[in-house]
Amino acid sequence: MGDWYGIQWDAIENVARQELACIIDMELEALLSFKQTYFEPRCVLVLTLDNLAQAQRLQRSILSSGDIEQACSRTDLYAEYNRDHPGFFDAVIVSDNLTEAYSNLRTLVLNYLGVASQDQQQMMQEQQQTNQSLLMQRQLSNVNDTMLMSSTTV
């Protein structure tokens, strides 16, 4: 079939035929395009609320300091897009604690595949409510910080 942003469409289709989940990490711009395909993806926003911790984690990777700075600067873009486009992301997972984030992602995928237990489903619903609340608190804090900066620079 072809490829799209380096992803083989046939590979995605093969995973779907096996009734498995295909997890793809992509930037918002690519996701906007991918949602226009016939795949009908479930979109999960995995987002840190602590940019400093995220930068420290990324420093242990092979990314350059410029790449790390760009990745951290996009956090607000993703949070803002989530706020301005309710329902675009099927779920939000806060990644400040990587072990907890992985557990939440795993449960979410099991739920999407229809093989999660009742307890896992309940836990995921509760976690989604908590994550949305944390994200809204962060956005309100950013708005208040911006308002404070504006009033002090006038």
Side-chain angles (χ1 to χ4, degrees):
M1 183 165 250
D3 82 46
W4 177 83
Y5 290 97
I7 300 168
Q8 295 292 318
W9 288 49
D10 287 343
I12 297 170
E13 289 173 341
N14 287 336
V15 169
R17 273 194 289 282
Q18 295 175 44
E19 297 182 4
L20 298 173
C22 183
I23 299 175
I24 304 170
D25 176 25
M26 61 179 61
E27 294 292 335
L28 181 59
E29 296 80 5
L31 182 57
L32 290 168
S33 177
F34 192 63
K35 281 193 86 155
Q36 302 302 314
T37 67
Y38 61 91
F39 288 115
E40 299 179 16
R42 302 275 178 108
C43 300
V44 179
L45 176 60
V46 180
L47 187 71
T48 184
L49 299 179
D50 184 350
N51 277 343
L52 181 58
Q54 176 72 354
Q56 290 171 342
R57 274 197 302 256
L58 292 173
Q59 285 173 350
R60 294 187 295 253
S61 71
I62 61 170
L63 296 177
S64 70
S65 59
D67 290 339
I68 293 170
E69 188 177 312
Q70 181 182 6
C72 290
S73 72
R74 292 184 60 87
T75 300
D76 291 334
L77 170 74
Y78 284 99
E80 185 178 313
Y81 197 87
N82 182 57
R83 183 192 69 227
D84 294 345
H85 299 88
F88 179 83
F89 295 102
D90 297 294
V92 175
I93 295 177
V94 174
S95 64
D96 292 340
N97 179 319
L98 294 180
T99 303
E100 187 177 305
Y102 170 77
S103 176
N104 290 337
L105 180 61
R106 183 180 184 279
T107 301
L108 185 67
V109 170
L110 291 174
N111 193 33
Y112 285 162
L113 292 173
V115 295
S117 69
Q118 289 281 12
D119 290 342
Q120 288 172 320
Q121 291 176 12
Q122 179 65 30
M123 182 203 67
M124 193 68 236
Q125 289 174 348
E126 292 170 1
Q127 191 61 48
Q128 281 303 302
Q129 292 171 348
T130 300
N131 288 346
Q132 287 291 358
S133 176
L134 289 170
L135 192 55
M136 288 179 60
Q137 288 173 3
R138 177 176 188 237
Q139 291 168 338
L140 288 174
S141 174
N142 287 349
V143 168
N144 290 339
D145 290 346
T146 302
M147 290 171 55
L148 179 60
M149 286 173 43
S150 295
S151 65
T152 58
T153 55
V154 175

